[in-house]
Amino acid sequence: MFATLIGPYPAPRQPLAPDEAVRGTVEELAEAGLEPVSDGRGAERAATPADSQRIVAAWQLAASATDRAVKQALIGPYTLGRRPGAGASSATIAESIRGTIEALTAAGCPLIEIEEPAAVDVGEDERERRRFSDALRTATAGLGDAVHLSLVITGGNADTIGAATLYDLPFSSYAFDVIAGPDNWRLIAEAPADRGIVCGALDPSADAADRPELLIWAAHYAASTQGRGLVRVGLANASSLGGLSRERAHTKVEVLANAARLAATASPEELAAALDPRAIDIRSAATGKYTPAGPNQPGRRL
């Protein structure tokens, strides 16, 4: 059970030299309890995959700032190929991305995320499904088990793409936005037991309550699907936190990390103290409201 950041993190409050800003972000995310961590700059800066040396150098800088695992995100070939002015086919872009993945792997990067937000537009169109899967197969061809590859889908529902389309691809784990895309739970339920699932269940909006109940439920539900177990489940923000203040984003990642810890290790007593009582009280489920137990009516908790 782990917690990780998807997408960019807000820039530091005070202007810093680029390298110092990266180190500060990595240290902040690690101290909050995330792992794997990232440099907080997201995948968009890596949208030119041909520049693999720059991307590798950026990952190496981030990795030097912590003893925790550091991942690297790349925009996927299907999404890049659909952008206006892409200048190349998805297949050509995919070959370039594969070269970048190989370079990152050779440098020691343990986990690479491929972000495909355009996956939500594939739907039931068989031609688009083939374009999507062919591009990703080209990008990951020949890599085997050399590196952990994770497919990240945010921004909406992708369930109409079909579980077979997704899980026939050679990814070790899949991250789904279940806030903007609640129907993605259907895909999670069908994921083979040997695939990791990252639940993007932390609402990225500034005014969200940031309570741990939904996050803990999400982790345990994903763990229950196909007998997966918590060892193959992670928690993440549903989509980018980059538009928030640094302080607000930091609060959110702390909640995320704490929810992962509670989901994995908390005793019933610790959960009772940490969660809204309505989430765990038996009478609340029966009556639809929570009434604290009186001296002659001891509380009953799950």
Side-chain angles (χ1 to χ4, degrees), residues 5-6 8 10 154-155 177-180 200-210 215 236-245 248-249 252:
L5 174 75
I6 289 176
T154 59
D177 177 344
V178 294
I179 299 297
L202 179 73
D203 192 324
S205 59
D207 58 355
D210 295 342
L215 295 167
N237 50 304
S239 57
S240 172
L241 303 181
L244 304 179
S245 69
R248 190 71 184 91
K252 283 183 176 288

Side-chain angles (χ1 to χ4, degrees), residues 43-57 72-81 83 85-104 112-116 135 139:
E44 285 296 338
R45 66 180 182 79
T48 306
D51 193 1
S52 61
Q53 290 185 341
R54 176 179 58 84
I55 295 170
V56 169
Q72 176 62 49
L74 304 171
I75 297 292
Y78 180 76
T79 296
L80 282 177
R83 290 183 173 178
S89 67
S90 293
T92 300
I93 293 170
E95 291 174 357
S96 180
I97 289 173
R98 187 179 68 238
T100 300
I101 294 173
E102 290 171 344
L104 284 164
I112 299 172
E113 291 178 341
I114 306 298
E115 296 186 6
E116 285 285 12

Side-chain angles (χ1 to χ4, degrees), residues 277 281-284 289-301:
D281 182 76
I282 292 174
R283 286 191 306 276
S284 297
K289 63 180 180 179
Y290 175 69
T291 303
N296 298 319
Q297 189 179 24
R300 297 173 62 201
R301 297 186 183 276

Side-chain angles (χ1 to χ4, degrees), residues 39-244:
D39 64 8
R41 292 189 286 181
E44 285 296 338
R45 66 180 182 79
T48 306
D51 193 1
S52 61
Q53 290 185 341
R54 176 179 58 84
I55 295 170
V56 169
W59 173 79
Q60 289 173 325
L61 172 63
S64 71
T66 181
D67 57 0
R68 298 200 172 196
V70 177
K71 63 184 181 180
Q72 176 62 49
L74 304 171
I75 297 292
Y78 180 76
T79 296
L80 282 177
R82 285 167 51 91
R83 290 183 173 178
S89 67
S90 293
T92 300
I93 293 170
E95 291 174 357
S96 180
I97 289 173
R98 187 179 68 238
T100 300
I101 294 173
E102 290 171 344
L104 284 164
T105 302
C109 183
L111 189 153
I112 299 172
E113 291 178 341
I114 306 298
E115 296 186 6
E116 285 285 12
V120 301
D121 299 322
V122 173
E124 299 177 353
D125 186 312
E126 289 298 333
R127 181 181 176 187
E128 288 304 305
R129 286 180 176 180
R130 286 195 298 272
R131 286 182 60 191
F132 176 79
S133 58
D134 287 351
L136 286 169
R137 286 187 183 281
T138 299
T140 57
L143 294 170
D145 298 327
V147 65
H148 184 109
L149 295 176
S150 184
L151 183 63
V152 178
I153 297 177
T154 59
N157 294 312
D159 60 308
T160 54
I161 200 173
T165 300
L166 287 178
Y167 300 130
D168 282 346
L169 295 169
F171 288 92
S172 299
S173 64
Y174 294 76
F176 295 102
D177 177 344
V178 294
I179 299 297
D183 289 343
N184 290 331
W185 281 114
R186 298 176 183 176
L187 293 170
I188 292 172
E190 295 187 60
D194 64 343
R195 309 297 177 88
I197 293 294
V198 180
C199 301
L202 179 73
D203 192 324
S205 59
D207 58 355
D210 295 342
R211 294 288 302 167
E213 289 82 8
L214 175 60
L215 295 167
I216 293 171
W217 176 87
H220 281 280
Y221 180 73
S224 75
T225 59
Q226 308 293 330
R228 193 174 326 282
L230 284 170
V231 71
R232 290 190 175 92
V233 172
L235 291 173
N237 50 304
S239 57
S240 172
L241 303 181
L244 304 179

